[in-house]
Amino acid sequence: MAEPKTEVTTCELLPDQEIPLLKSRRERSRAEALKLWAEKRKTGWSPCSPQW
């Protein structure tokens, strides 16, 4: 069975725009996504509801 993939989307909030600007979208394995999330949590990131 194939490992599920996770999509990581990076956006930039622009002061004069209501909708974030899509910067990149990349598929990662679950293990890669968990590692990325752990790194982000160490720098102060926390879960939130969708912002749009």
Side-chain angles (χ1 to χ4, degrees), residues 1 5 7-8 10 14 17-18 20-21 24 29-30 34 45 49 51-52:
M1 187 164 133
K5 297 290 183 182
E7 184 179 280
V8 177
T10 304
L14 301 175
Q17 301 292 317
E18 289 184 34
L21 174 66
S24 69
S29 69
R30 184 177 192 279
L34 290 173
W45 285 39
S49 59
Q51 300 300 300
W52 56 86

Side-chain angles (χ1 to χ4, degrees), residues 28-42:
R28 294 179 182 251
S29 69
R30 184 177 192 279
E32 289 174 324
L34 290 173
K35 182 179 176 185
L36 175 63
W37 180 238
E39 291 170 6
K40 297 295 185 184
R41 292 294 304 257
K42 286 180 185 176

Side-chain angles (χ1 to χ4, degrees), residues 11-29:
C11 298
E12 180 180 343
L13 293 174
L14 301 175
D16 61 337
Q17 301 292 317
E18 289 184 34
I19 300 172
L21 174 66
L22 177 63
K23 297 295 279 185
S24 69
R25 182 175 285 149
R26 181 175 166 203
E27 253 187 23
R28 294 179 182 251
S29 69

